[in-house]
Amino acid sequence: MPNCSDSLPSSEDLMKGFTAGDIAVMVILNLVAIASYAIFIELWTYLHKNIANDVIKDKTLLVLGLFPVTTVAYQLGIFVPRAGTLVDFVTAVYTSISLFSFFHLTITYLGGVTEAIDKLGFVDASLNVGPCCCCCICLPKVRINRKAYRVLRFGILQTLILQPVLQFISAVLWADGKYAIGEVHPTNPLFYIKILLNISALMSLYVFNLLMKAAFGIAEANYHLLAKYAIIIVYIILSNLQPLILSCFATYNIIPCTGFYSSKSRASQIDHHAKILEMFILLLVSRKYYRKRLPDVLPLYFEDPLHSVC
């Protein structure tokens, strides 16, 4: 049996323990990461040259930045294993920013706040959407008026506030030695932080699904809103479901430990490696849709959803 340690190795110990196979994996992952950065720079150049609307350009870059930022964070995670909590904090903060930017981008595609509300007011929005209420077929359909828009805006905004704050509290508790990575049980404050994080994420997804389902029918087909939203959903599923599955495998020792890593730490390492490859694929798919020509008729200005609806 290998002599597995429960504590994570330092970056120096990790480098000393590299085998030829480990070095090959690291080289491949770093080449993939560099390719992701190159694709993002190419997209940044394309958007600046071809998108005249500054709001669409800026919000699109914030959304697309989700993939290189996540890649950078997980690159840090594979070279500095003890920075796992910091990696989670960085990705949570930028994911919240990116989701809120995508909300802004969708409203912009619909013509700005006032025009979007006017258009959505003629659409019967179904409340029985996932992930919270997909089985509640008795729920009525509603029209999205100004009051409903404020509720939707709050449902997205709470993620921008709660996710970074809760992740920061989690990082502080970890730094203070209150829990170890992968250790979650009812006597640990991290258990309740995870519950709040999941409730916040579910509420945000529900609001997004409700808004998107209503917007798909009235947005210009050339915006490819469905494909762009599907990419965001895939990212969220990978970010939440993948580490959960790997953690379950580690709990039952399906993932074997190695010299430096326990089963749970090994699961985290596999997740970091997989995320770098996944971000490259998602960015490559995003490039296909965000490089497509937008309709010639675009809103001349954008009304800020945070301030324009009283």
Side-chain angles (χ1 to χ4, degrees), residues 232-269:
I232 297 293
I233 291 298
V234 170
Y235 174 89
I236 293 173
I237 291 173
L238 289 174
S239 296
N240 292 278
L241 191 58
Q242 180 172 283
L244 178 62
I245 292 173
L246 290 172
S247 179
C248 291
F249 286 166
T251 299
Y252 294 99
N253 294 318
I254 296 174
I255 298 175
C257 63
T258 59
F260 281 126
Y261 292 94
S262 65
S263 292
K264 290 182 178 179
S265 300
R266 179 69 175 149
S268 179
Q269 183 194 43

Side-chain angles (χ1 to χ4, degrees), residues 2-46:
N3 182 23
C4 299
S5 173
D6 289 332
S7 61
L8 290 169
S10 66
S11 56
E12 183 180 356
D13 291 337
L14 182 68
M15 298 295 182
K16 290 178 179 178
F18 271 169
T19 63
D22 294 330
I23 294 174
V25 169
M26 287 293 186
V27 169
I28 292 171
L29 290 175
N30 280 282
L31 288 175
V32 171
I34 291 171
S36 295
Y37 305 145
I39 292 173
F40 178 75
I41 292 171
E42 187 268 338
L43 278 170
W44 183 88
T45 304
Y46 172 84

Side-chain angles (χ1 to χ4, degrees), residues 13 46 64 77 98 120 162 170 270 284 287 306:
D13 291 337
Y46 172 84
L64 291 173
S98 185
L120 292 170
L162 282 180
S170 174
I270 293 172
L284 205 58
R287 180 183 181 274
L306 285 175

Side-chain angles (χ1 to χ4, degrees), residues 7-281:
S7 61
L8 290 169
S10 66
S11 56
E12 183 180 356
D13 291 337
L14 182 68
M15 298 295 182
K16 290 178 179 178
F18 271 169
T19 63
D22 294 330
I23 294 174
V25 169
M26 287 293 186
V27 169
I28 292 171
L29 290 175
N30 280 282
L31 288 175
V32 171
I34 291 171
S36 295
Y37 305 145
I39 292 173
F40 178 75
I41 292 171
E42 187 268 338
L43 278 170
W44 183 88
T45 304
Y46 172 84
L47 291 171
H48 274 276
K49 288 182 177 179
N50 295 278
I51 304 296
N53 186 290
D54 288 337
V55 175
I56 289 183
K57 179 169 56 183
D58 293 343
K59 299 304 177 185
T60 299
L61 286 171
L62 282 173
V63 172
L64 291 173
L66 179 63
F67 308 114
V69 168
T70 302
T71 301
V72 170
Y74 284 109
Q75 265 192 297
L76 174 65
I78 63 175
F79 283 109
V80 188
R82 293 178 182 176
T85 303
L86 177 61
V87 168
D88 292 338
F89 174 68
V90 171
T91 54
V93 170
Y94 197 86
T95 299
S96 301
I97 294 171
S98 185
L99 288 176
F100 200 55
S101 297
F102 189 78
F103 172 73
H104 282 209
L105 188 61
T106 302
I107 297 298
T108 310
Y109 286 162
L110 296 179
V113 175
T114 301
E115 188 174 342
I117 292 174
D118 290 341
K119 291 178 179 178
L120 292 170
F122 292 97
V123 178
D124 291 325
S126 178
L127 294 178
N128 60 321
V129 296
C132 303
C133 305
C134 52
C135 298
C136 302
I137 58 175
C138 58
L139 290 176
K141 293 184 177 181
V142 298
R143 298 287 177 91
I144 299 179
N145 53 24
R146 289 181 178 271
K147 182 178 180 180
Y149 175 82
R150 287 197 294 269
V151 175
L152 293 176
R153 182 187 64 188
F154 174 77
I156 305 298
L157 184 61
Q158 57 83 21
T159 304
L160 188 63
I161 298 171
L162 282 180
Q163 292 277 343
V165 169
L166 291 173
Q167 287 287 359
F168 177 75
I169 294 173
S170 174
V172 170
L173 292 174
W174 172 79
D176 197 36
K178 299 299 183 184
Y179 73 91
I181 292 176
E183 177 188 350
V184 181
H185 52 79
T187 61
N188 193 310
L190 181 65
F191 177 79
Y192 303 99
I193 291 175
K194 290 290 186 183
I195 291 176
L196 291 175
L197 284 170
N198 286 324
I199 291 174
S200 173
L202 287 174
M203 182 186 296
S204 176
L205 276 179
Y206 176 76
V207 170
F208 256 115
N209 286 339
L210 196 156
L211 175 65
M212 291 299 123
K213 194 171 181 180
F216 290 152
I218 58 177
E220 289 267 4
N222 290 338
Y223 286 126
H224 304 285
L225 192 56
L226 178 59
K228 292 173 181 177
Y229 183 56
I231 292 169
I232 297 293
I233 291 298
V234 170
Y235 174 89
I236 293 173
I237 291 173
L238 289 174
S239 296
N240 292 278
L241 191 58
Q242 180 172 283
L244 178 62
I245 292 173
L246 290 172
S247 179
C248 291
F249 286 166
T251 299
Y252 294 99
N253 294 318
I254 296 174
I255 298 175
C257 63
T258 59
F260 281 126
Y261 292 94
S262 65
S263 292
K264 290 182 178 179
S265 300
R266 179 69 175 149
S268 179
Q269 183 194 43
I270 293 172
D271 179 54
H272 290 181
H273 290 179
K275 284 285 176 38
I276 292 176
L277 297 173
E278 291 158 359
M279 292 307 105
F280 171 73
I281 295 171

